[in-house]
Amino acid sequence: MTGWAINTADERAIALLPADVWTAALRQDGEVHEIKGPDGEKVTYQVAELTGVGDLSGWPEGMRLIARRVKPSRRDVKKLTAFEQRTGWRYQIVATNIPTHQGLSGVPGSGQV
């Protein structure tokens, strides 16, 4: 897997995703990835498949793009892009060659987007 700082092309691709494709992210143990937010409330990370929306030209066959978002912490608010400020989410993207719905043997949750 590899990740990078999102750019405007990534933000355009993320903006094309319908709201209903975002699902709760799972940790490696298969549990929902939640953290305590700045106000003490639980904050759930969310993920969505970006493959087919983002540009994968030049990438090896079978690569997938996964977008992850979370409500930003107080320390992250200063670093948000204009897109992130508008949507109220902080985004990250990773590329992986782990096949859809297959995952890694013995790693719960690894096949989830």
Side-chain angles (χ1 to χ4, degrees):
M1 269 198 238
T2 187
W4 58 90
I6 64 170
N7 57 42
T8 54
D10 296 326
E11 291 176 338
R12 283 193 298 272
I14 291 168
L16 294 173
L17 295 173
D20 63 347
V21 301
W22 292 96
T23 60
L26 302 179
R27 296 180 187 272
Q28 277 192 327
D29 63 4
E31 296 295 317
V32 172
H33 188 171
E34 291 180 323
I35 60 171
K36 186 185 265 188
D39 56 1
E41 298 280 325
K42 284 189 178 182
V43 176
T44 302
Y45 282 79
Q46 296 181 343
V47 291
E49 183 87 31
L50 200 56
T51 309
V53 181
D55 181 15
L56 285 175
S57 34
W59 287 75
E61 188 173 327
M63 293 301 289
R64 299 168 55 212
L65 295 180
I66 310 299
R68 181 174 89 152
R69 70 182 186 179
V70 67
K71 293 294 183 179
S73 68
R74 278 186 286 233
R75 113 189 122 147
D76 290 326
V77 169
K78 296 177 187 172
K79 299 181 276 182
L80 297 178
T81 66
F83 174 74
E84 291 172 324
Q85 289 172 6
R86 247 186 350 272
T87 63
W89 295 94
R90 183 174 60 91
Y91 297 91
Q92 298 164 323
I93 298 177
V94 296
T96 183
N97 62 354
I98 297 173
T100 307
H101 304 298
Q102 182 177 336
L104 300 172
S105 178
V107 182
S110 68
Q112 185 236 10
V113 169

